[in-house]
Amino acid sequence: MSNGHTSLPQYSPVLIVGAGPTGLSLAVELARRNIECLLIDRRPEPLPFDRATVIHSRSLEIFESMGVIDAFLERGHLMRGFNIFAYGQIVAQTDFNGLECRHPYDLNLSENETEEILTERLVALGGAVARGWELSSLEQSESHVTAQLRSTNGTEQTVTADWLVGTDGIHSRVRESCEIDVDGHRYLRRWGVIDGHLKDWQHAPDRAAIQIEAPALNPIPLPRERWRIYFRADDDIDNAALLEQINAGLEILSPGSRLHEPDEPMLYHTYRQLSAHYQSGRVLLAGDAAHACSPIEGHGMNMGIHDSFNLGWKLALVIEGIADAKLLDSYEQERRPAAAAVGASGDIAEELRSIPNDPAAVERVKRALCAMLTTSRGQLQAAQAESELELHYRDSPLVSGYHSAGDAARQHWLGPLPGDCTPDAGPLLKPGSAEAVQLSQLICNEGHSLLWMATDQTEVPDFEKFHHILQACGEFWIISTAPPPEFLPESSLQEFWLHDVEGKVHARFGVIDASLFLIRPDGHIAFRSEPPELARVASYFENLFN
């Protein structure tokens, strides 16, 4: 890790401005693929505290692909759901245990610790963060971007990059330099956050609490038996009055509870924003530089991480010369609608949490939440929305499907569609092994994964065609509800055979007849074919790369 007193390289294939979770995730994704990048941040040292806390299920899947999941699980606190309170009574609940994924929970960890883990991973991959450097200005041509950088000690340096990515937050200098318009609004009331211990807390330590009525607290469990409390704050309130307000709310939620050993409260305004574009020439935006949403649903940091996971593999293919730069068009086409949907959801949540301090208004919101969350279906929908596993790219030009019976037959497909996030399932057994693996473990690689879903022992691909396709794929697997035959047409196919012993993988994918699924490096389904046709996979790669 360097600082503003150290000179920077004059050239880098990628310059990333901003070393928060978004910028670090992108740097890790590039480093995993041996793409050199320069990651800078204007702060001489990382912030010792930040307000983002909740890491959702989909982000945990991403961290598993990055190779950092063990560190997150070791340091974070598992949260299994949340309780909604009205005047001290639990009126509704959401439980994450019903999620069918590898990580059916939220993981709570301070953003600064998330940054520490990602920084350690980047360093292990040979990368670094250059701290104490900020962007002064940039110019670009058809072939490169020229960035003027300034250090904390006043040193100036010019860096040329093939691509520049702005991950520098809601007031992005990169976005301003490219004159990219941004629409949105500021929420009227400030949010506040404070950490501390809760004495005599009477509720489950693996569930957050959401208080409907004023003072509208959200206590969130953290590691080491600490809690992070989010609250609304008037502009003219002082710290003493804030603590009195927080303790009054805790008394309602859990009589006798008080906040002990609190940190200094941090107050901030929040925004909903969406950039008109995510790309201008050779400059791209990600994270808060591209979009911002209400913190009430905990999506902000997670969405930035997802941006980087979407962009990283595409940018790597372009830099390596494997794919045309037009591939990057799909980044905005896929991620901007997702940000718009999350922003709209945040507006609705803000409206629900901005009710008058009046029993009739509280009762109305209580009835609305109960209507949504008292059924098993409502519970599951709320958990899926929280997890971000349901966000898809079905409308992307980068995904497609084929059915031999025509397009009408595709309308009756069961299971995930092209553009959806790949579901997890198992167990899967390799020939001669008693150790079972889950599907999600097989697709954690830097390239595409091809799943040939067979329903008997005879539905195997031609080895020569398979070998050709394998050159474009990171992984190839034959997944069958039958064990492998003693003699395959090509014995070398035996090592790619996986036995879906209980049929759960086929069931999750909606496979009735033999099918094929091509999985992108970011875990979304790129192509689905019924029956399997390797020639169509070859055509998909030709279009992707050219």
Side-chain angles (χ1 to χ4, degrees):
M1 186 178 298
S2 63
N3 55 45
H5 301 284
T6 304
S7 62
L8 302 176
Q10 295 181 335
Y11 164 78
S12 178
V14 184
L15 171 60
I16 304 172
V17 181
T22 302
L24 285 163
S25 295
L26 180 58
V28 168
E29 282 299 284
L30 293 173
R32 287 174 63 206
R33 296 169 171 86
N34 298 313
I35 301 297
E36 181 184 351
C37 70
L38 173 61
L39 173 60
I40 67 168
D41 195 276
R42 62 182 177 83
R43 296 185 182 90
E45 298 292 336
L47 285 175
F49 172 85
D50 215 329
R51 55 183 177 260
T53 307
V54 178
I55 304 170
H56 295 313
S57 300
R58 176 58 181 148
S59 297
L60 293 172
E61 290 183 346
I62 290 172
F63 289 152
E64 191 153 19
S65 290
M66 290 182 180
V68 292
I69 188 61
D70 290 342
F72 275 98
L73 293 177
E74 180 180 343
R75 294 174 65 170
H77 181 90
L78 266 62
M79 187 168 75
R80 301 288 183 179
F82 51 82
N83 298 325
I84 301 175
F85 291 80
Y87 300 114
Q89 299 297 314
I90 296 177
V91 297
Q93 294 180 309
T94 290
D95 195 309
F96 303 148
N97 289 332
L99 291 170
E100 294 185 359
C101 62
R102 190 161 170 80
H103 303 285
Y105 42 76
D106 280 342
L107 189 76
N108 294 349
L109 189 68
S110 289
E111 184 176 340
N112 57 295
E113 293 194 62
T114 292
E115 292 177 358
E116 287 178 15
I117 294 172
L118 292 174
T119 300
E120 290 168 2
R121 178 60 172 153
L122 178 60
V123 171
L125 291 168
V129 181
R131 292 201 166 273
W133 290 93
E134 66 178 349
L135 177 74
S136 298
S137 63
L138 67 85
E139 295 180 353
Q140 60 175 313
S141 67
E142 291 184 1
S143 60
H144 62 271
V145 182
T146 302
Q148 299 295 331
L149 307 180
R150 182 187 300 113
S151 74
T152 52
N153 66 355
T155 302
E156 295 190 355
Q157 186 165 340
T158 300
V159 173
T160 300
D162 297 328
W163 299 91
L164 186 149
V165 185
T167 59
D168 51 341
I170 194 168
H171 303 296
S172 170
R173 178 71 63 84
V174 173
R175 186 185 64 230
E176 292 175 356
S177 298
C178 293
E179 299 181 345
I180 297 176
D181 293 334
V182 60
D183 292 327
H185 51 263
R186 190 180 81 172
Y187 296 109
L188 295 178
R189 292 197 67 192
R190 288 189 302 176
W191 279 93
V193 61
I194 188 170
D195 285 8
H197 292 282
L198 293 185
K199 182 180 180 182
D200 297 327
W201 183 250
Q202 299 172 13
H203 306 290
D206 61 353
R207 288 180 173 272
I210 298 175
Q211 187 177 33
I212 297 177
E213 80 280 2
L217 302 181
N218 289 12
I220 308 291
L222 288 175
R224 297 176 289 279
E225 298 182 345
R226 288 181 69 81
W227 288 74
R228 175 161 294 172
I229 300 178
Y230 292 89
F231 56 89
R232 296 292 200 181
D234 295 326
D235 289 339
D236 56 352
I237 195 168
D238 60 28
N239 282 0
L242 269 179
L243 287 174
E244 183 177 338
Q245 172 183 302
I246 290 167
N247 283 322
L250 291 173
E251 177 69 27
I252 296 172
L253 288 171
S254 177
S257 292
R258 293 184 65 82
L259 184 63
H260 283 256
E261 301 176 351
D263 295 334
E264 282 291 314
M266 185 169 70
L267 307 178
Y268 53 94
H269 283 286
T270 58
Y271 302 79
R272 178 189 175 184
Q273 285 190 180
L274 186 61
S275 296
H277 299 288
Y278 282 20
Q279 183 175 0
S280 174
R282 289 183 166 267
V283 177
L284 300 112
L285 303 177
D288 287 353
H291 51 78
C293 61
S294 166
I296 200 167
E297 296 174 312
H299 291 308
M301 178 184 70
N302 291 272
M303 291 293 286
I305 292 166
H306 301 181
D307 287 346
S308 293
F309 201 55
N310 181 290
L311 178 60
W313 66 274
K314 299 174 183 177
L315 193 55
L317 287 176
V318 172
I319 291 171
E320 290 173 334
I322 297 174
D324 187 270
K326 290 184 179 180
L327 174 62
L328 298 178
D329 294 347
S330 66
Y331 166 61
E332 177 180 322
Q333 292 166 340
E334 293 177 347
R335 293 304 302 162
R336 193 172 183 276
V342 167
S345 175
D347 277 354
I348 295 171
E350 283 279 349
E351 185 177 350
L352 285 174
R353 298 305 307 280
S354 301
I355 59 174
N357 188 16
D358 172 72
V362 172
E363 183 64 26
R364 185 173 185 275
V365 172
K366 177 180 132 179
R367 288 196 301 269
L369 292 171
C370 287
M372 290 187 287
L373 297 175
T374 52
T375 66
S376 57
R377 181 178 180 181
Q379 286 264 332
L380 181 58
Q381 287 176 335
Q384 288 173 333
E386 175 86 2
S387 71
E388 298 175 357
L389 293 165
E390 294 296 292
L391 292 175
H392 62 78
Y393 307 141
R394 293 177 188 172
D395 298 325
S396 169
L398 213 59
V399 304
S400 59
Y402 166 78
H403 198 294
S404 60
D407 290 344
R410 292 167 49 190
Q411 305 303 315
H412 300 289
W413 267 339
L414 303 174
L417 300 175
D420 288 354
C421 193
T422 304
D424 189 30
L428 295 168
L429 288 178
K430 294 183 178 180
S433 173
E435 184 179 353
V437 296
Q438 291 290 116
L439 181 62
S440 60
Q441 297 171 272
L442 300 175
I443 62 174
C444 287
N445 60 79
E446 290 78 33
H448 287 72
S449 299
L450 190 63
L451 309 180
W452 183 289
M453 308 287 285
T455 56
D456 62 34
Q457 294 180 324
T458 64
E459 297 166 340
V460 295
D462 176 86
F463 181 74
E464 290 302 323
K465 293 181 180 178
F466 143 72
H467 186 70
H468 172 70
I469 292 296
L470 188 59
Q471 295 176 356
C473 291
E475 298 285 347
F476 174 86
W477 300 102
I478 301 169
I479 302 177
S480 177
T481 50
E486 293 183 7
F487 299 101
L488 287 173
E490 288 287 345
S491 59
S492 54
L493 286 178
Q494 186 100 359
E495 63 182 289
F496 301 101
W497 194 286
L498 294 170
H499 185 194
D500 186 8
V501 182
E502 301 174 13
K504 290 183 177 179
V505 175
H506 282 67
R508 287 297 306 278
F509 278 76
V511 172
I512 300 173
D513 298 309
S515 301
L516 178 150
F517 291 83
L518 180 65
I519 312 301
R520 303 183 343 174
D522 59 6
H524 286 261
I525 295 172
F527 177 69
R528 178 174 178 174
S529 173
E530 184 179 332
E533 291 198 11
L534 289 177
R536 294 186 181 275
V537 177
S539 296
Y540 177 89
F541 278 120
E542 288 176 6
N543 292 330
L544 176 70
F545 295 152
N546 296 326

